[in-house]
Amino acid sequence: MTTVDLNADMGESFGPWKMGDDAALLKVVTSANIACGGHAGDADVMAATMRMAHDNGVGIGAHPGFMDLAGFGRNRMALPRGTLQNQIRYQVAASVGMARSVGAEVRHLKLHGALANMASEDEGLARDLYEAALSVAPDLIVMVLAATAQERAVKSLGCKWAGEIFADRAYNDDATLVDRSKPGAVIHDADHAAARMVEMVKAGAIITESGKHIPTRIDTICLHGDTAEAVQIATAVRKGLQDGGVTLAKFSGSV
């Protein structure tokens, strides 16, 4: 029987600014990528989101990105490699510490936004960022954009990893995500998102906008918590997979 994890990016509210319906999402997903205060989130939001995730039996992941609250971490930035590594260490350490404070643990790492996209194109960058995270928390399972440079980086490191595909994003023929500035890059229709995830999981492949099949290991499916339709998409994807005979459960990660 096929088993897959369903994850969502969340914990992205900041002070009085509300982003997403994390409480509802945590009733549907099996893993949560929780912002570490770099691109979004703050200490109170991180603690509250982790507590809710723990109470719902949802796996917790650190979700670091560029330290760019104004741009939500979606602008590509040029920073010294050592600075980027330290920013990853800083955010992962905050995540690990906050999780411990609420009686939970951080299981996995997932890079956010522009930094993740850059790492999906640059194996050396991905490796450097993963090494930085693992220097703080050596047992993390690294969640990677499947079939990209991120996957090559984790394989070269020999650490535990999980391959991820996206329910709400369109794909280029090299398995990278279509740029958000392009029409159709973000998928808002819940039924369409569900149907394409069932198709990809059963095919064991990413299916690009051109129809190309890229065979890959699919351990987890992501949707973005800041998308207005996030809860509807998560619910539809979960139901579609279950109706298709797929079991939903937290990924275990493997080398």
Side-chain angles (χ1 to χ4, degrees):
M1 181 177 291
T2 303
T3 300
V4 71
D5 173 77
L6 182 61
N7 78 78
D9 302 339
M10 61 179 69
E12 294 174 327
S13 299
F14 183 80
W17 180 58
K18 180 79 184 313
M19 175 65 82
D21 189 347
D22 294 347
L25 274 176
L26 286 167
K27 301 292 186 184
V28 182
V29 300
T30 50
S31 290
N33 318 304
I34 298 174
C36 309
H39 74 281
D42 61 26
D44 290 339
V45 171
M46 191 188 303
T49 309
M50 287 182 167
R51 190 174 290 110
M52 284 194 295
H54 183 57
D55 289 346
N56 282 278
V58 172
I60 294 172
H63 193 36
F66 282 123
M67 299 189 75
D68 173 30
L69 288 172
F72 201 64
R74 287 182 175 157
N75 297 314
R76 295 191 177 218
M77 302 174 70
L79 295 172
R81 191 60 55 89
T83 298
L84 273 178
Q85 288 180 302
N86 283 334
Q87 289 185 356
I88 293 296
R89 292 184 183 104
Y90 180 84
Q91 293 178 69
V92 171
S95 180
V96 169
M98 191 63 79
R100 288 177 181 167
S101 78
V102 300
E105 66 173 348
V106 174
R107 300 180 68 243
H108 71 273
L109 171 88
K110 178 187 170 181
L111 298 176
H112 167 79
L115 188 58
N117 290 334
M118 290 167 65
S120 73
E121 302 160 4
D122 183 339
E123 182 179 341
L125 173 62
R127 184 183 177 105
D128 286 348
L129 299 178
Y130 297 153
E131 285 181 334
L134 294 168
S135 73
V136 174
D139 296 327
L140 288 176
I141 302 167
V142 179
M143 188 186 292
V144 303
L145 289 173
T148 70
Q150 290 188 17
E151 183 174 325
R152 296 194 294 274
V154 288
K155 286 179 175 178
S156 72
L157 285 171
C159 61
K160 284 187 176 181
W161 62 279
E164 175 188 50
I165 64 172
F166 284 80
D168 56 5
R169 294 296 305 278
Y171 278 94
N172 298 307
D173 281 351
D174 62 356
T176 60
L177 301 176
V178 174
D179 189 275
R180 282 178 173 270
S181 65
K182 296 182 178 179
V186 180
I187 294 163
H188 298 281
D189 184 278
D191 291 335
H192 176 52
R196 67 196 292 269
M197 286 301 96
V198 172
E199 185 180 10
M200 289 190 200
V201 169
K202 291 194 171 183
I206 290 167
I207 302 175
T208 71
E209 287 302 279
S210 71
K212 179 181 178 181
H213 282 55
I214 303 172
T216 189
R217 190 174 101 189
I218 299 172
D219 299 302
T220 185
I221 294 168
C222 176
L223 57 104
H224 292 84
D226 64 293
T227 303
E229 305 84 3
V231 176
Q232 292 92 332
I233 291 173
T235 302
V237 169
R238 184 181 181 103
K239 183 178 187 301
L241 290 168
Q242 289 175 327
D243 288 350
V246 178
T247 300
L248 275 293
K250 288 184 285 189
F251 57 79
S252 57
S254 59
V255 176

